[in-house]
């Protein structure tokens, strides 16, 4: 197991280097604006722009620019400085990371607690009215865009002008350690909105996997031995059916750690996704690079965790 984890960690480091190189090529070889002019701001003096160009190593060949960036990244975990504000990208991202993690983890708990039980019940009662209603509702939830669902939920539940004013949607997010009550109040509605489509997807995946598993020979053998139906379903059926879902969960959660752009923008949550969206609009490339690398890091690490969990969920998995 330890050797497997070490191999995966080395492979993860290689993947992060590849991602950093590709992002560098995209945003530095095909720039949408001159970084020196963005850093200069209103002072568009040619001498100032030339000095900034030398400071940012923009007068060097592209491969030297990448080596400068890679050296700071590897040795100091430094993502550079924003072109617009000249602030550290690392401090900007890490300052917003708690909001993104809070949003992602809260939504993940909700969609697992809602989606998986619905999928299990639909699989056990397949063909019934409950199955049709659950899967029909899941299809509707999947089809609803997040930004539309968020705006509708604000219109209905906003504490300012909603028809049923029960949730705070003023963008008054605060850290959990500062005010737990305000933290919870500002995230309940974003959690529900973000979890809606994921819960529907997971319900359909769970139903499909479990229906297939319940037709396997070992399930019929377990029933023939006289085991209780609940134990057959949960001990043997769900344990096998949930393994592919763990892979999807690792990917989904890793992607959300890189920022839920639409949800954070609609509900004015100061997370990584909102920072990335603002940076794209203003061509602030160091911020974009940093958010992409953090997202890739989240996906890679969570996939490693998922692979390790496989051995506990499925006894057939060996390393």
């Amino acid at each position: 197991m330890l050797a497997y984890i070490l191999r995966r960690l080395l492979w993860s480091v290689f993947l992060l280097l590849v991602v950093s190189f590709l992002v560098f090529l995209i945003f530095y070889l095909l720039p949408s604006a001159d970084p020196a002019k963005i850093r200069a701001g209103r002072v568009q003096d040619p001498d100032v722009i030339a000095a900034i160009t030398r400071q940012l190593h923009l007068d060097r060949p592209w491969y030297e620019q990448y080596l400068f960036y890679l050296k700071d990244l590897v040795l100091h975990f430094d993502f550079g400085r924003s072109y617009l504000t000249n602030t550290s990208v690392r401090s900007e991202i890490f300052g917003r990371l708690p909001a993104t993690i809070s949003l992602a983890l809260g939504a993940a708990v909700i969609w697992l607690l809602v989606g998986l039980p619905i999928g299990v019940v639909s699989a056990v009662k397949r063909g019934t009215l409950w199955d049709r209603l659950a899967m029909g509702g899941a299809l509707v939830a999947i089809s609803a865009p997040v930004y539309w669902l968020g705006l509708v939920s604000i219109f209905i539940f906003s504490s300012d002008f909603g028809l049923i004013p029960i949730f705070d949607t003023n963008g008054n997010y605060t850290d959990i350690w500062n005010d737990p009550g305000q933290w919870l109040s500002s995230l309940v509605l974003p959690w529900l909105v973000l979890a809606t489509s994921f819960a529907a997807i997971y319900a359909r995946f769970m139903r499909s996997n479990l229906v297939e598993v319940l037709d396997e020979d070992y399930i019929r053998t377990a029933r023939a031995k006289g085991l209780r139906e609940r134990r057959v379903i949960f001990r043997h059926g769900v344990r096998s059916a949930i393994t592919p879902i763990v892979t999807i969960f690792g990917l989904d959660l890793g992607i959300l750690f890189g920022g839920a752009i639409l949800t954070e923008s609609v509900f004015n949550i100061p997370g990584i996704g909102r920072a990335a969206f603002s940076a794209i609009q203003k061509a602030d490339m160091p911020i974009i690079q940093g958010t992409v690398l953090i997202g890739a890091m989240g996906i890679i690490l969570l996939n490693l965790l998922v692979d390790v969990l496989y051995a506990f969920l499925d006894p057939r998995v060996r390393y």
Side-chain angles (χ1 to χ4, degrees), residues 30-312:
L30 302 173
S32 59
D34 186 351
K37 292 182 178 179
I38 296 176
R39 174 67 66 85
R42 296 181 179 179
V43 184
Q44 295 293 305
D45 184 87
D47 294 333
V48 173
I49 294 175
I52 294 175
T53 299
R54 291 190 298 271
Q55 179 187 6
L56 298 178
H57 309 295
L58 298 176
D59 56 336
R60 304 290 186 89
W62 67 268
Y63 52 87
E64 290 189 18
Q65 295 182 46
Y66 176 69
L67 290 177
F68 280 117
Y69 177 77
L70 190 61
K71 183 183 70 172
D72 292 337
L73 182 64
V74 173
L75 296 181
H76 308 290
F77 201 61
D78 185 2
F79 297 95
R81 306 188 74 84
S82 169
Y83 289 157
L84 291 173
T85 62
N86 200 29
T87 57
S88 170
V89 174
R90 181 176 62 184
S91 61
E92 178 77 12
I93 291 177
F94 283 14
R96 292 173 175 269
L97 193 58
T100 296
I101 292 177
S102 298
L103 177 63
L105 290 181
V109 170
I110 292 175
W111 85 57
L112 289 177
L113 291 179
V114 174
L116 295 185
I118 290 177
V120 171
V121 175
S122 294
V124 174
K125 299 183 178 297
R126 53 180 166 174
T128 64
L129 179 61
W130 161 260
D131 181 28
R132 295 189 180 93
L133 289 176
M135 291 301 101
L139 183 61
V140 172
I142 293 172
S143 304
V146 172
Y147 64 88
W148 176 84
L149 191 60
L151 293 175
V152 169
S153 64
I154 290 175
F155 176 74
I156 296 176
F157 300 110
S158 172
S159 58
D160 288 339
F161 52 82
L163 302 177
I164 309 175
I166 57 177
F167 292 119
D168 179 13
T169 58
N170 296 323
N172 298 322
Y173 173 84
T174 186
D175 191 86
I176 186 174
W177 308 112
N178 295 332
D179 189 343
Q182 179 61 34
W183 172 84
L184 181 64
S185 174
S186 63
L187 285 176
V188 170
L189 197 56
W191 282 342
L192 295 175
V193 170
L194 184 58
T196 297
S197 60
F198 283 104
I201 293 171
Y202 279 60
R204 293 180 69 87
F205 270 124
M206 190 66 196
R207 180 192 181 279
S208 176
N209 293 340
L210 189 55
V211 165
E212 184 178 347
V213 168
L214 291 179
D215 289 334
E216 296 288 341
D217 292 338
Y218 69 91
I219 296 293
R220 288 193 289 268
T221 301
R223 285 170 172 161
K225 288 182 177 180
L227 295 180
R228 291 188 303 173
E229 185 67 13
R230 177 172 298 186
R231 184 174 183 183
V232 171
I233 292 172
F234 288 97
R235 184 70 179 272
H236 299 282
V238 172
R239 186 175 180 182
S240 297
I242 205 173
T243 305
I245 295 177
V246 172
T247 302
I248 302 170
F249 179 71
L251 288 172
D252 289 338
L253 194 58
I255 291 172
L256 289 181
F257 280 171
I261 295 179
L262 293 177
T263 306
E264 291 177 4
S265 299
V266 169
F267 290 98
N268 200 24
I269 297 174
I272 293 178
R274 189 176 167 200
F277 178 70
S278 177
I280 291 171
Q281 288 180 312
K282 300 173 182 177
D284 197 350
M285 289 175 283
I287 296 287
I288 300 172
Q289 276 187 299
T291 54
V292 170
L293 286 177
I294 289 295
M297 192 179 302
I299 294 173
I300 291 171
L301 292 178
L302 283 171
N303 270 278
L304 174 61
L305 179 61
V306 164
D307 288 343
V308 173
L309 286 176
Y310 271 171
F312 299 96

